Amino acid sequence: MLRHGKVGAAVQNNPNTTLVTQTAPIATVTHGGRAKCLQRLVRLDLPVPATVALSFDAVHAIASGHLPDIDAIMRQFPQDALLCVRPSSEDPDWGGPSAILNIGMNDARYEVLCATLGTDAASVLFTRFVQSYAIHVDRLDPDMFDHITGEGAQALADVLRAYEDETETPFPNTRAEQLAGVLKSMARAWEGTSARLLRQAKGAPVDAGLGLVVQQMAFGVGEGECGSGVLQLVSSKTGKPQITGRYLRQSQGRDALHADAASLYITRDNRGPSLQDEVPDCFDQLVTHAQLMRTRLREEMQVEFTIENGQLRILDGVRLARSSRATVRIAVQLARDGIIPRQEALMRVEPNTLNELLHRQVDRHAKRDILGSGIAASPGAATGRIVFSATDAQASASRGEDCILVRRETSPEDIRGMHAAKAVITERGGITSHAAVIGRGIGLPCVVGVSNIRFQTRKQQLLTEDGRVIKAGEVVTVDGTNGTILLGAPAMQEAALDDAFQDLMDWADAERDIDIRANADTPADAQTARNFAAQGIGLCRTEHMFFEAGRLTVMREMIFAETSDDRRAVLERLLPMQRADFIQLFAIMQGQPVCIRLFDPPLHEFLPTDRNGQRELADALDLPLSDVTRRIEAMMEYNPMLGLRGVRLGVTVPEIYEMQARAIFEATVEASRDGDPVVPEIMIPLVSAKREVELVRTRIDAIAAAVATEKGAQFTYNLGVMVETPRAALRAGDIAQHCSFLSFGTNDLTQMTYGLSRDDAGRFMSDYVRQEVFAEDPFHSLDIDGVGELLKLGSERGRAARPDITLSICGEHGGNPESIAFCRTAGFDYVSCSPFRVPVARLAAAQLAIGHKIG
């Protein structure tokens, strides 16, 4: 593969094995990121040691037994030069075999280095190479060197003897033989089954290639000022300007980063000596080189360097590892400095990484004692003492104690306890279960479907797989981002909505071409949505308002009312409460659209299921306990999600919708007096036939006319439908004739399309995904082929019947980048998601718009 000739020219134009020069045929997709970066450093005239790059094809050939011309490679370096070989994959996150240093060390070279560096230093270099070669090339057990202690000539002799005893052959004594062995071992390691599976788990394609770079060693050991280290210009944790790194005298590679290394600080530091103090000329050169790399490579880099007898060498430049917080600030600052355009800064931030900025997180360096794991249902992390009931959670909050609410599964009755808790853990449920949806809505960390912990709620304790018993009152931490429950209180990293985040969001809003609203059920939710610059409320679930203290008993009294007049009388007491809620929502949103979903859940959800609760209800209503229990039993349904709920309640128990409509219109009049005119959007849930819409619309129109007459005020409103049944999607053309908008509720639509319970699917969904029945959990990622087909049919038929109709989705899929992409393509007007998902959706929408422009 290599041609013979003078130094440099022999491999200059060889596409598979080439000397790294400014014009060499090297690309990331053929030689890997490290090789391409080294070429860029050469183009910047930085002091990079001579390097030969081997392409993916060359390495694949080596793994198949076809070596390149080793002699031609070695002719690119001085005869006495030691070499190192490093991996060069297309993406550094895919990993690769360990680098091998000091290739070429043998008896003759050792004698020369003893004379120039000293016996101890030369012995350390040779010893390190023998051990590395034995472990990584010959695949020998590292334990074979455990009995060898100390350093120097004796240690070297012991290492060589151990090698010969194990292999029954002398250690390879020529540079060519050593280099060939290293290349073969690294190529075969990359193509091995374990390595392939490991990188595929990191997102690498099956046929991902590996390049290798053979580089002349720049010694970090010697008689003069010698050492090695790394430097970067910003903090990996925050992204703020901060020259950091380490420098270790008489060292090689990344020795300076070892925890027990006696490294120097990079910049002047009161805690000890620094490179800036000891070698100021090299420090200044290094910073200048790093700044040039930042500008010309358009990235924050970590610079790996060596100082050899006072001379600086740049060995490599690696894209700086960074936290999510630093990712945002680095991208934004590069754009502020004019190094990259704003659009590129937006494209460099993965939308879901914003979750780590919006919530507290467990510090990634913190020690974790994992008790169990489940579905990461709502991101963020919180620490507190575990409690097993909503009542206990409220009591803890009243004492100022942080608590974690533990339930088998939550129900609407737990709402107040969830608001009081710092996080929630449930044994059952999936990504769209009650706990998950409410958790995401209020920014509460939540892990659901925790199947590897036994919930012994009567004993108020948890039993882990390894036999530990965690009792009520013990401190645990919920990591809702990763889906784990930890014992104790690990170090936390606080949320960070700083100036860089705000700039990124402003730039995103300037690019995106689809609106982003928020699902908000309370004034607190609405304020969060407003803080995150949502363009209105796309779904307000009014039933959550009825679970607050002082309202639940009134609601239960209404349920037990025998006649329509009795129900209206009780609802008159709820009317001012609902009206006040809506006035607050309208005031917070300041003229932006607010879409209010009329009452949806079955009435039995408001009734107590335990004996104590039923006894309290009987006392409150002054009824015999037997009457209460009999009425509750009579209201129970075999399949309540498909029973008397949504519009079916609105048709059969119209008094509820009439009260809600009046509250909405009276709040509209009140809020419009002091602010921008309010145009409420009223949404009818669970529709499956146009006649349902006609009946509800007739009553709502009548209420609107009555309020306008009573208040002497004119107002407008829009009425629409929540499309969450397959029939509503299929008959959208009929339904749209009576609507101003169609909002697709993908939670229930997915449930009904699949015939899956969104609360129970978590028990087996991981098995289904693992066995490739489903590509992903359809409640977590929108099913484009099935549910998406219904969305497409519904939107096309709705718009054909009424071209000006507004289309949106308001299910939990609304914040997913994949769902937003689908909605843009289908011509939807907006998506609505949980308040804390709004920034994620804004960024995702901007990236889609930018991607569309650039093709």
Side-chain angles (χ1 to χ4, degrees):
M1 294 173 67
L2 294 178
R3 299 195 302 273
H4 294 273
K6 63 181 181 179
V7 173
V11 295
Q12 178 64 47
N13 297 310
N14 188 316
N16 291 315
T17 308
T18 182
L19 184 69
V20 177
T21 64
Q22 294 186 7
T23 58
I26 294 173
T28 301
V29 294
T30 56
H31 292 75
R34 173 172 271 126
K36 187 61 186 177
C37 181
L38 286 169
Q39 183 181 46
R40 289 171 175 153
L41 300 184
V42 169
R43 288 173 177 170
L44 296 178
D45 291 325
L46 298 186
V48 177
T51 307
V52 171
L54 279 65
S55 70
F56 296 168
D57 289 341
V59 175
H60 180 68
I62 293 171
S64 302
H66 303 289
L67 278 171
D69 189 334
I70 298 296
D71 289 338
I73 292 176
M74 292 194 300
R75 280 198 296 273
Q76 312 313 307
F77 308 101
Q79 287 187 353
D80 61 348
L82 299 186
L83 307 176
C84 68
V85 180
R86 302 170 189 264
S88 178
S89 57
E90 188 171 346
D91 186 327
D93 291 339
W94 298 347
S98 300
I100 305 292
L101 309 182
N102 301 321
I103 299 166
M105 281 296 296
N106 53 28
D107 294 340
R109 190 75 181 104
Y110 174 64
E111 292 298 330
V112 172
L113 292 178
C114 284
T116 57
L117 303 181
T119 301
D120 287 345
S123 298
V124 168
L125 294 179
F126 202 172
T127 300
R128 166 182 280 192
F129 175 55
V130 174
Q131 291 177 323
S132 180
Y133 193 95
I135 294 167
H136 297 295
V137 178
D138 289 327
R139 302 287 190 267
L140 301 181
D141 193 329
D143 293 350
M144 63 181 284
F145 300 117
D146 284 353
H147 67 285
I148 299 171
T149 59
E151 296 180 347
Q154 185 57 52
L156 172 60
D158 292 341
V159 165
L160 286 169
R161 188 179 304 108
Y163 180 90
E164 292 181 11
D165 290 344
E166 186 70 22
T167 62
E168 298 182 352
T169 59
F171 187 74
N173 203 41
T174 68
R175 189 171 67 169
E177 185 181 1
Q178 293 170 1
L179 179 59
V182 169
L183 294 179
K184 285 190 289 187
S185 73
M186 295 178 80
R188 290 169 179 168
W190 177 261
E191 299 205 355
T193 301
S194 297
R196 178 170 47 80
L197 293 175
L198 185 60
R199 63 177 177 268
Q200 281 183 251
K202 298 177 180 178
V206 176
D207 59 350
L210 176 72
L212 294 173
V213 294
V214 183
Q215 190 175 71
Q216 181 176 341
M217 287 293 301
F219 280 121
V221 293
E223 294 179 318
E225 178 60 48
C226 296
S228 63
V230 296
L231 174 140
Q232 61 196 52
L233 299 177
V234 299
S235 163
S236 298
K237 190 171 184 179
T238 67
K240 293 182 178 180
Q242 180 183 352
I243 298 176
T244 59
R246 304 287 278 178
Y247 172 70
L248 180 63
R249 284 175 162 152
Q250 302 299 319
S251 71
Q252 292 181 309
R254 302 175 75 85
D255 289 350
L257 298 181
H258 293 170
D260 58 350
S263 303
L264 276 67
Y265 297 101
I266 286 288
T267 57
R268 193 166 287 116
D269 196 300
N270 293 330
R271 292 173 292 177
S274 69
L275 179 66
Q276 186 177 14
D277 290 322
E278 303 294 322
V279 198
D281 289 345
C282 286
F283 172 81
D284 291 341
Q285 291 177 43
L286 189 57
V287 172
T288 300
H289 293 335
Q291 290 170 339
L292 180 63
M293 290 167 64
R294 176 180 186 266
T295 302
R296 298 292 290 277
L297 302 186
R298 306 165 70 250
E299 182 58 281
E300 290 291 356
M301 309 289 286
Q302 184 180 76
V303 185
E304 185 175 337
F305 67 93
T306 293
I307 296 175
E308 182 178 0
N309 295 322
Q311 295 297 310
L312 178 67
R313 296 286 184 271
I314 304 298
L315 304 184
D316 200 4
V318 181
R319 180 182 179 274
L320 182 66
R322 63 202 68 181
S323 67
S324 297
R325 183 178 312 191
T327 296
V328 171
R329 179 163 289 279
I330 288 170
V332 168
Q333 195 59 52
L334 287 171
R336 287 171 176 168
D337 293 343
I339 295 173
I340 62 174
R342 290 179 176 181
Q343 291 83 355
E344 185 174 344
L346 289 166
M347 298 300 282
R348 288 191 179 191
V349 181
E350 205 283 315
N352 284 321
T353 64
L354 295 183
N355 283 323
E356 294 188 29
L357 277 71
L358 303 174
H359 308 273
R360 293 180 81 210
Q361 303 289 338
V362 177
D363 191 294
R364 57 180 177 164
H365 300 298
K367 188 176 180 180
R368 295 166 179 252
D369 184 355
I370 299 177
L371 297 173
S373 60
I375 298 170
S378 181
T383 299
R385 300 184 183 279
I386 60 172
V387 297
F388 286 82
S389 72
T391 303
D392 288 343
Q394 290 173 272
S396 291
S398 68
R399 295 192 300 268
E401 296 177 358
D402 293 345
C403 69
I404 306 297
L405 178 60
V406 177
R407 304 288 288 158
R408 290 199 184 279
E409 57 187 332
T410 62
S411 68
E413 283 185 285
D414 294 312
I415 290 287
R416 284 174 287 171
M418 294 177 73
H419 277 279
K422 294 299 180 182
V424 174
I425 306 168
T426 69
E427 181 182 25
R428 303 171 186 147
I431 199 69
T432 54
S433 63
H434 179 269
V437 171
I438 299 303
R440 286 191 294 273
I442 63 178
L444 187 71
C446 181
V447 177
V448 301
V450 182
S451 58
N452 57 359
I453 293 180
R454 286 182 60 190
F455 284 54
Q456 299 178 327
T457 53
R458 289 188 178 181
K459 295 181 179 179
Q460 294 205 341
Q461 64 185 29
L462 302 175
L463 183 62
T464 67
E465 280 189 326
D466 58 5
R468 286 185 284 181
V469 177
I470 311 300
K471 297 183 178 181
E474 290 196 50
V475 174
V476 302
T477 295
V478 175
D479 185 346
T481 303
N482 295 307
T484 55
I485 296 98
L486 314 175
L487 183 64
M492 292 284 189
Q493 186 171 329
E494 298 301 323
L497 306 184
D498 54 16
D499 59 307
F501 172 82
Q502 297 301 338
D503 278 358
L504 190 78
M505 290 292 97
D506 290 343
W507 299 347
D509 291 341
E511 296 292 335
R512 61 185 171 84
D513 53 13
I514 188 170
D515 286 352
I516 309 295
R517 296 196 197 178
N519 301 339
D521 305 332
T522 65
D525 295 343
Q527 188 60 59
T528 300
R530 185 75 186 180
N531 294 343
F532 288 140
Q535 294 170 282
I537 293 175
L539 172 62
C540 173
R541 291 163 285 218
T542 53
E543 60 270 9
H544 290 163
M545 301 173 177
F546 296 123
F547 285 99
E548 293 186 10
R551 303 187 188 189
L552 187 57
T553 302
V554 180
M555 189 67 186
R556 289 170 170 173
E557 189 176 337
M558 186 277 297
I559 293 171
F560 272 78
E562 297 289 345
T563 67
S564 176
D565 288 341
D566 289 343
R567 282 193 290 273
R568 284 194 173 90
V570 178
L571 288 167
E572 280 290 327
R573 291 154 56 195
L574 285 174
L575 174 63
M577 304 177 193
Q578 277 266 267
R579 183 173 60 234
D581 290 330
F582 295 139
I583 289 173
Q584 276 189 279
L585 288 180
F586 294 148
I588 290 168
M589 298 315 293
Q590 298 176 11
Q592 289 188 329
V594 176
C595 184
I596 300 168
R597 185 181 74 180
L598 297 174
F599 193 88
D600 180 50
L603 293 177
H604 80 267
E605 285 193 5
F606 293 84
L607 301 176
T609 55
D610 63 287
R611 202 66 170 175
N612 288 336
Q614 292 172 357
R615 188 176 292 106
E616 290 174 4
L617 179 58
D619 291 340
L621 300 180
D622 195 23
L623 291 172
L625 178 60
S626 58
D627 289 356
V628 170
T629 55
R630 191 161 45 247
R631 182 69 180 272
I632 291 174
E633 289 170 0
M635 293 186 69
M636 291 298 176
E637 297 176 292
Y638 288 109
N639 196 339
M641 292 301 292
L642 301 179
L644 185 57
R645 55 171 284 222
V647 70
R648 299 158 197 166
L649 268 173
V651 170
T652 59
V653 190
E655 300 84 11
I656 300 175
Y657 281 10
E658 289 171 2
M659 181 276 290
Q660 289 193 301
R662 175 170 285 277
I664 292 169
F665 295 137
E666 290 180 356
T668 298
V669 173
E670 185 68 27
S672 297
R673 286 184 183 142
D674 301 323
D676 296 327
V678 174
V679 181
E681 298 174 359
I682 300 176
M683 184 157 64
I684 309 171
L686 211 69
V687 166
S688 56
K690 71 172 183 177
R691 181 59 179 160
E692 292 171 321
V693 183
E694 292 172 345
L695 290 170
V696 173
R697 173 149 215 154
T698 299
R699 294 192 178 102
I700 289 177
D701 286 344
I703 298 294
V707 172
T709 300
E710 293 167 11
K711 302 295 183 181
Q714 296 298 314
F715 55 85
T716 59
Y717 72 96
N718 295 317
L719 185 135
V721 161
M722 191 170 186
V723 181
E724 48 193 330
T725 68
R727 192 177 194 279
L730 294 172
R731 304 306 301 168
D734 295 338
I735 293 169
Q737 298 173 35
H738 305 280
C739 301
S740 299
F741 63 88
L742 297 176
S743 188
F744 291 81
T746 53
N747 296 354
D748 268 348
L749 187 57
T750 298
Q751 179 170 243
M752 295 189 189
T753 301
Y754 274 84
L756 283 174
S757 165
R758 68 190 195 192
D759 293 314
D760 299 320
R763 299 182 185 183
F764 60 85
M765 189 56 67
S766 59
D767 286 335
Y768 260 50
V769 173
R770 180 174 52 80
Q771 297 185 53
E772 300 181 352
V773 179
F774 302 148
E776 290 189 62
D777 182 343
F779 294 110
H780 186 262
S781 182
L782 182 65
D783 166 33
I784 302 297
D785 296 332
V787 179
E789 187 71 13
L790 285 172
L791 289 174
K792 200 176 298 181
L793 282 172
S795 62
E796 289 171 353
R797 292 175 182 180
R799 194 148 270 172
R802 184 167 180 169
D804 64 341
I805 199 163
T806 297
L807 300 174
S808 68
I809 67 171
C810 59
E812 284 299 307
H813 299 97
N816 293 343
E818 301 83 4
S819 306
I820 298 171
F822 174 86
C823 292
R824 285 185 72 254
T825 303
F828 280 46
D829 297 282
Y830 71 85
V831 299
S832 188
C833 56
S834 300
F836 282 92
R837 293 283 290 172
V838 167
V840 175
R842 289 162 66 193
L843 178 57
Q847 291 182 346
L848 290 164
I850 294 168
H852 181 77
K853 289 176 185 175
I854 64 178

